[in-house]
Amino acid sequence: MRVRLSVLAGAAALSGVLSFALLAAAIATDFWYIIDTERLERNGPGARDARGAANRSQPEPMSSHSGLWRTCWAKNRCAPLMNPFRQENVTVSDSSRQLLTMHGTFVILLPLSLILMVFGGMTGFLSFLLRAYLLLLLTGTLFLFGALVTLAGISIYIAYSAAAFRAALCLLEERALLDQVDIRFGWSLALGWISFFAELLTGAAFLAAARLLSLRREQERAI
């Protein structure tokens, strides 16, 4: 029983640290959403002059990659996204206000999940140290709740990206240009997904440890 409990403790610690590190990296990086216009710039009318030779005065690349807080272009030029918590004196359309609301929601949920993991790490250390059943149960529940918070934040971000794409599509006059633009989610979002699954694993490990400890106490009482 001690070996199995120690294995669960190690698994919970490893997956918990991994989940925290990956989610922190995802929040801090700017590769959640990537717009690659290389094909459009290569095949566009400005790419060649009248003689068919390559044009030397190429415009700056329009490709961009976005995070939760800002959008970046070539040469490390970045601009912060509109603050979703300061809308009182700004006149925006209903669709833009909805986007700001969604933005404000996921920038709260994802850091909140980090905070929950910090508290879960502290209670988890004490629960294994003291062999406290209720504390193990509480920690497992806390990590599972944090995983749901992470899932909600990622899901809202995906819905936000889809809504922003539809809004941009309505403003675009030449929609055929989109065929030459590669739009995709980036590796920052992938880190968020891996963190979510690691957080689930951490919660399951704590709940399994609580179950093992409960069975052990029942066996001791039966003797």
Side-chain angles (χ1 to χ4, degrees), residues 98-138:
Q98 181 184 11
L99 288 174
L100 289 172
T101 301
M102 296 171 74
H103 182 202
T105 302
F106 64 72
V107 298
I108 289 176
L109 289 177
L110 293 174
L112 175 61
S113 182
L114 284 180
I115 296 173
L116 291 174
M117 279 192 272
V118 170
F119 282 106
M122 292 187 294
T123 58
F125 175 78
L126 290 175
S127 64
F128 277 114
L129 186 65
L130 302 175
R131 299 291 180 91
Y133 167 77
L134 290 179
L135 206 53
L136 284 169
L137 196 63
L138 173 64

Side-chain angles (χ1 to χ4, degrees), residues 156-172:
I156 292 174
Y157 178 81
I158 293 174
Y160 163 84
S161 301
F165 178 78
R166 287 194 298 270
L169 197 60
C170 293
L171 299 175
L172 188 64

Side-chain angles (χ1 to χ4, degrees), residues 136-141 144 202-212:
L136 284 169
L137 196 63
L138 173 64
T139 305
T141 305
L144 290 181
T202 305
F206 276 106
L207 292 181
R211 177 61 178 166
L212 284 176

